[in-house]
Amino acid sequence: MTEKPGEGETHTKLGPGPEFDRIRGIARRLGEHASGLGDDCALLTVGDLTLVLSTDLSVENVHFRSTWLSPQEIGWRAAAAALSDLAAEAATPLGVLASIAVPATASPEEVEQLMEGVGDAAASVGAWVLGGDLSRAETWVIDVTVVGTTDNPIRRSGARPGDQLWVSGTLGGSRAALSLWLQGVEPDPEARLAFAHPEPRIALGRRLGESGAHAMLDLSDGLAGDARHLAAASACAITIDLAALPIHPSVAAVAAKSGMAPQRFGAMGGEDYELLVAMPDTFTEADAARLASECRVTLTRIGAVSEGAGATFLSGGVPVELAGFDHFA
Amino acid sequence: MTEKPGEGETHTKLGPGPEFDRIRGIARRLGEHASGLGDDCALLTVGDLTLVLSTDLSVENVHFRSTWLSPQEIGWRAAAAALSDLAAEAATPLGVLASIAVPATASPEEVEQLMEGVGDAAASVGAWVLGGDLSRAETWVIDVTVVGTTDNPIRRSGARPGDQLWVSGTLGGSRAALSLWLQGVEPDPEARLAFAHPEPRIALGRRLGESGAHAMLDLSDGLAGDARHLAAASACAITIDLAALPIHPSVAAVAAKSGMAPQRFGAMGGEDYELLVAMPDTFTEADAARLASECRVTLTRIGAVSEGAGATFLSGGVPVELAGFDHFA
């Protein structure tokens, strides 16, 4: 009844970084007990159905501070981050499960508000809250698992030379909010929204899949890091023009303070939860404009795929060094 | 393509206790965004398939201490606890996802060992590790989500007057180990095994389902508490004879120290991960012996279901008061 997905026992090829070193170690250790680690989602074929699953952990003082966000926002953000992985797979969400641990000082009202945020994010993409678990811990912890289906999963590994790279929405807004909070400044409403209320790009992901996407992932580590992961998984080279990046309107002021160009800041942001997708070159600007209008989010061409390896970022035609965002760095 | 499970929008009726008060609050708050909360597992009908999902959170210093267990045992125990929920649904496991947060001091080797434990537990019941997430936290946190299928899910709500109650394995071993550790004493190997290496009763759960089980759950809060949940969900009364309980061999010595009868200690244990099942009275001692031998675990008749409400524990024919085990108590 059950079989491993088409890629068999091979895990997705992983890009550089300490978190990925750990995943590599785990995949080695698990050997044949594990299947398809390293992509946005796990695929599971049951009968004639492909299930798509992902899990996403949010920890207080690592992913957020409870002084920055309301419990409802913590819940929305955690669920949206997990649902974003389904978007990157071109999947249709079915349900979410949320495991929550809260300090002894948390009130029942706060726990309910957090779950309300999870429920709102699920409902925004037509999914139900199916269950969860509840425990104590020293800090707030929320782990959201999402399950969906797709007839046509889009992996990280399918980009081909000649493909064009597109990105949804804008980049750097979430990092702008983070920078401001860390400086003790309350972010402007737009930056705050990018951090607290990311929109999982479910509709766009599906439409990109239907439009022939070769490879897709969601930007959680920042474009600089995630582009490397896409290149590694697809065994191709990626070239991105920094000048082409759609930058969140709040970035300019924040980047200026640290003497950084907004483009660099945006490329090195984290937790944008936008889609990075390799489309065949038959996918035109007009196609992009149609999808963007349908799904109410911009879609911007930012680079191309070629033979080779790694991700190169160009500024004025010259390669520049960029670091990604890594929770283990 | 997707529909809510047969029970529609009604959540499982919940028994007493502060943790269940919280779940009640969450279910109220989520309203129509949630489906079927309060049972061991969530059910999700996709096409002609019934998916069974559950998630189980283990937190250092709440569910275990890292001085008691090796990382591998922490991983096994967390995965076995989640898989036990599938057993209680008479489901066949397909895969597990594990989200892990570790302190900055944890070595890559320890993280790999923990995932090896998760992988071993999954492999022991024919499931794969499909994915996970990895983060930092102040203490060890592991959340395991399991997915399976079943043609015939067994809920908590189906017990009927006239049913007989059976329990698998022995009770109180895990609590005996916990008591000893909390007294600063290393438990004997059998008690330690009950705590560190619970066996998810997958094969037995399926065979009980095939044999006509009316209602089933796994014992995580202890028989005293869980019997109340079964009674509440099924809107029946449950009577259990303490003298009939199969008690773990390590319990007697530990219970004696606190001046408690082993039967009471066993009934108030927690995290036994054994199955409590309501079988029609056509299910005989001979049927039980056959299943027990097939699945290599004992199956003991401990009580009966009747009209009414609540769970009553008898000692020498006289009702006695017992408290359950509650992480929020």
Side-chain angles (χ1 to χ4, degrees), chain A residues 2 4 25 29-30 33-35 42 55-57 63 94 99 109 112 115-116 128-130 133 135 143 145, chain B residues 2 4 25 29-30 33-35 42 55 57 63 94 99 109 112 115-116 128-130 133 135-136 143 145:
Chain A
T2 312
K4 290 200 181 187
R29 187 67 68 104
L30 287 169
H33 294 171
S35 171
T55 185
D56 208 280
L57 190 61
H63 296 91
L94 297 174
S99 284
E109 174 65 19
E112 289 175 27
M115 281 305 298
E116 196 174 358
W128 282 299
V129 177
L130 300 173
D133 197 6
S135 175
D143 187 43
T145 302
Chain B
T2 313
K4 289 198 181 188
R29 187 66 69 105
L30 287 169
H33 294 170
S35 171
T55 185
L57 190 61
H63 296 91
L94 298 173
S99 283
E109 175 65 20
E112 288 174 28
M115 282 305 299
E116 195 174 358
W128 282 301
V129 178
L130 299 173
D133 197 6
S135 176
R136 279 229 181 108
D143 187 44
T145 303

Side-chain angles (χ1 to χ4, degrees), chain A residues 166-192:
Chain A
W166 302 77
V167 73
S168 69
T170 60
L171 306 178
S174 183
R175 186 180 168 201
L178 185 66
S179 294
L180 290 166
W181 270 314
L182 291 175
Q183 292 162 30
V185 178
E186 180 64 17
D188 59 281
E190 288 75 21
R192 195 180 186 291

Side-chain angles (χ1 to χ4, degrees), chain A residues 210-287:
Chain A
E210 290 161 6
S211 304
H214 284 162
M216 190 152 57
L217 54 70
D218 75 316
L219 297 176
S220 51
D221 298 344
L223 179 65
D226 287 322
R228 288 190 186 100
H229 300 318
L230 189 67
S234 294
C236 287
I238 280 176
T239 308
I240 289 173
D241 180 9
L242 283 179
L245 300 187
I247 300 299
H248 189 281
S250 302
V251 165
V254 180
K257 269 202 211 171
S258 52
M260 199 186 274
Q263 253 65 20
R264 280 183 79 97
F265 186 99
M268 291 164 65
E271 302 178 329
D272 288 315
Y273 301 115
E274 297 294 349
L275 297 178
L276 175 67
V277 58
M279 299 297 292
D281 63 2
T282 50
F283 183 82
T284 63
E285 291 284 352
D287 294 329

Side-chain angles (χ1 to χ4, degrees), chain A residues 1-4 19 21-26 28-30 32-37 41-44 46-49 51 53-63 94-95 97-104 106-109 111-113 115-120 122-123 127-139 141 143-145 147 149 151 327-329, chain B residues 1-4 19 21-26 28-30 32-37 41-44 46-49 51 53-63 94-95 97-104 106-109 111-113 115-120 122-123 127-139 141 143-145 147 149 151 327-329:
Chain A
M1 188 169 173
T2 312
E3 54 190 54
K4 290 200 181 187
E19 184 175 355
D21 289 342
R22 291 192 174 218
I23 297 174
R24 263 184 286 268
I26 288 168
R28 264 197 310 273
R29 187 67 68 104
L30 287 169
E32 60 179 19
H33 294 171
S35 171
L37 302 183
C41 292
L43 298 181
L44 188 63
V46 192
D48 55 1
L49 198 75
L51 292 178
L53 295 132
S54 186
T55 185
D56 208 280
L57 190 61
S58 298
V59 179
E60 186 182 353
N61 299 332
V62 176
H63 296 91
L94 297 174
L97 295 101
S99 284
I100 298 168
V102 299
S107 71
E109 174 65 19
V111 173
E112 289 175 27
Q113 285 169 354
M115 281 305 298
E116 196 174 358
V118 171
D120 289 345
W128 282 299
V129 177
L130 300 173
D133 197 6
L134 189 55
S135 175
R136 281 230 179 111
E138 283 162 48
T139 58
V141 175
D143 187 43
V144 178
T145 302
V147 56
T149 58
D151 297 327
H327 288 299
F328 273 89
Chain B
M1 186 168 176
T2 313
E3 54 190 57
K4 289 198 181 188
E19 183 174 356
D21 289 341
R22 293 194 172 219
I23 297 174
R24 263 184 285 269
I26 288 169
R28 265 196 309 274
R29 187 66 69 105
L30 287 169
E32 59 177 22
H33 294 170
S35 171
L37 301 184
C41 293
L43 298 182
L44 188 64
V46 192
D48 55 1
L49 199 75
L51 292 178
L53 294 132
S54 187
T55 185
D56 208 281
L57 190 61
S58 298
V59 179
E60 185 182 353
N61 299 331
V62 176
H63 296 91
L94 298 173
L97 295 101
S99 283
I100 299 168
V102 298
S107 70
E109 175 65 20
V111 173
E112 288 174 28
Q113 284 170 355
M115 282 305 299
E116 195 174 358
V118 171
D120 288 346
W128 282 301
V129 178
L130 299 173
D133 197 6
L134 189 55
S135 176
R136 279 229 181 108
E138 283 163 47
T139 57
V141 175
D143 187 44
V144 177
T145 303
V147 56
T149 59
D151 296 328
H327 287 300
F328 273 89

